[in-house]
Amino acid sequence: MNHSREAGRDGLDHEGGEPHLIQEIVCTYQALAAEMTRRTGMKSSRFALMRLLADADADVGIMELARLLGVNAAAVTRQVQELESERLVRRRADPDDGRRTCIRLSPKGRKLMDELLQYSHEFELSLSSALSTEEMVNAATALNKLRSFLDGLR
């Protein structure tokens, strides 16, 4: 099968000025992350970590956070130490495995995350000036399908 000809029918043959899907996703993510950082003062990596903790049903280990974020455990440990020094997370030893550290948002961290998620929702609503509701639903659906596919590659 000739992939470049097949891709060309879809407008993604990369021979000329056609958009490159991955490049568009990365550039859009960078623009969104930069705008969120500018508006909230929180780096996107910190927001991503806190979002995982906010969504968790129970304490989460450093290794699990690192896996979910796609970074090494040392990077997560550094972020957790910063968050702990600001009293945004609580850290404790796993009672079943003393080598493992369990993390959860503190009440202060949960309050901050609730405020940031509300702001994030308001920011998302403001995007409706650039995209129709249908376009936003289609984009979210397509990105979710792509993420599910990529998760299946692991």
Side-chain angles (χ1 to χ4, degrees):
M1 179 186 313
N2 184 334
H3 292 286
S4 65
R5 191 169 60 208
E6 181 176 279
R9 288 194 305 259
D10 297 330
L12 296 174
D13 62 3
H14 306 292
E15 293 177 8
E18 298 89 358
H20 295 242
L21 180 61
I22 293 172
Q23 179 180 340
E24 291 301 322
I25 291 170
V26 169
C27 290
T28 302
Y29 168 76
Q30 289 171 333
L32 284 168
E35 183 61 18
M36 286 293 290
T37 298
R38 186 183 73 74
R39 290 177 181 230
T40 65
M42 181 180 285
K43 291 191 275 185
S44 60
S45 58
R46 177 179 271 214
F47 181 81
L49 174 59
M50 290 186 68
R51 177 84 189 243
L52 285 174
L53 292 170
D55 290 344
D57 294 331
D59 292 0
V60 185
I62 295 284
M63 295 303 288
E64 178 69 2
L65 290 167
R67 185 187 67 74
L68 292 168
L69 293 168
V71 299
N72 65 43
V76 173
T77 299
R78 282 190 298 275
Q79 281 193 335
V80 165
Q81 287 170 340
E82 291 173 13
L83 293 170
E84 189 177 31
S85 73
E86 296 171 37
R87 297 186 342 222
L88 296 172
V89 298
R90 291 185 177 161
R91 182 168 35 168
R92 66 177 181 82
D94 185 327
D96 298 326
D97 182 352
R99 300 168 296 172
R100 185 173 179 262
T101 302
C102 298
I103 313 298
R104 75 170 35 197
L105 285 179
S106 67
K108 180 181 176 182
R110 182 141 322 265
K111 182 176 185 271
L112 174 61
M113 209 50 214
D114 289 344
E115 292 168 6
L116 289 170
L117 291 174
Q118 178 60 38
Y119 174 76
S120 177
H121 178 68
E122 291 168 8
F123 178 57
E124 188 173 325
L125 289 174
S126 77
L127 297 177
S128 65
S129 64
L131 297 172
S132 70
T133 300
E134 181 181 357
E135 288 172 318
M136 289 176 73
V137 168
N138 289 339
T141 300
L143 290 169
N144 187 281
K145 284 175 74 173
L146 183 58
R147 188 176 54 251
S148 293
F149 170 78
L150 294 170
D151 287 345
L153 297 177
R154 291 184 194 180

